[in-house]
Amino acid sequence: QRIPIRIEKVSSGRYMSTLPFRSDMRPRDNYWVNLTRLDKWQARLERKGLHQEVEDNLFKLLNEGQAEIINETDGYFIPLQEVVREDSPSTPVRVVGNASFGKISLNDVLDKMEVSGLDVLPHLLRSRNKKFLLLSDMKKAFLQILIAPEHRKYLRFVWRTKDQKLIHLQMTALPFGLV
């Protein structure tokens, strides 16, 4: 049975939502498996000379309030990976999560809802009849949606700093790429 999503406007004017779970099934705690993957990934980042740039991206999430440091190891930890796009002037190195990781992954238990109203052609054709056109950059739009505190434990990740300090984090905002 599909579990309804709860969306509410909070005092900051932003919206907070629960995750769209399909049923009562949740992904298993996977902290220890994720630590093994982290070590391999960070070794690859060191070889490529990207460790500091990835760390800067992660700490930017913290500084902008889109993630928070936690002291827990339960929950679903999303393995991270880098995406390098040297032709991108704004973000040549992007950090993305693999929410499809594991026997029962986060993406396996989330509802893959259909989105309607995203057919752009009618809007483009209609805009040709108007005197003015308003453009909007939807960059980081997902990060504007807060995640309800009880569902943040499914959006965790771990990072090891250069001085070998292990940091546990969880997203407070909706990361791009779920489901």
Side-chain angles (χ1 to χ4, degrees), residues 79-145:
L80 302 176
Q81 59 193 46
E82 81 284 2
V83 174
V84 178
R85 291 191 48 200
E86 294 170 2
D87 58 336
S88 173
S90 61
T91 49
V93 177
R94 191 172 297 211
V95 180
V96 297
N98 179 5
S100 294
F101 173 74
K103 246 183 185 173
I104 299 175
S105 72
L106 182 59
N107 279 348
D108 289 337
V109 298
L110 291 178
D111 194 359
K112 294 146 188 69
M113 299 178 290
E114 291 186 29
V115 178
S116 61
L118 292 181
D119 186 8
V120 177
L121 185 60
H123 300 293
L124 288 174
L125 293 174
R126 213 174 25 257
S127 72
R128 295 180 51 90
N129 298 329
K130 306 295 179 186
K131 187 175 180 179
F132 297 101
L133 178 65
L134 176 66
L135 296 177
S136 176
D137 182 2
M138 297 303 287
K139 181 180 174 187
K140 299 182 183 174
F142 284 87
L143 292 171
Q144 300 309 308
I145 300 169

Side-chain angles (χ1 to χ4, degrees), residues 13-71:
R14 293 169 68 185
Y15 287 90
M16 180 179 292
S17 175
T18 55
L19 292 174
F21 286 107
R22 279 193 279 176
S23 68
D24 289 333
M25 183 182 281
R26 300 292 184 265
R28 293 191 178 118
D29 292 359
N30 66 344
Y31 177 75
W32 297 106
V33 175
N34 203 295
L35 272 187
T36 304
R37 288 182 60 100
L38 174 71
D39 291 336
K40 292 176 183 174
W41 179 51
Q42 288 193 288
R44 188 176 72 236
L45 290 174
E46 283 295 333
R47 286 192 303 275
K48 292 180 171 182
L50 296 174
H51 190 279
Q52 188 60 52
E53 194 163 354
V54 167
E55 185 170 299
D56 292 346
N57 277 313
L58 296 177
F59 278 95
K60 185 177 179 184
L61 290 172
L62 275 173
N63 294 334
E64 293 180 359
Q66 296 156 346
E68 60 191 1
I69 293 178
I70 57 170
N71 293 318

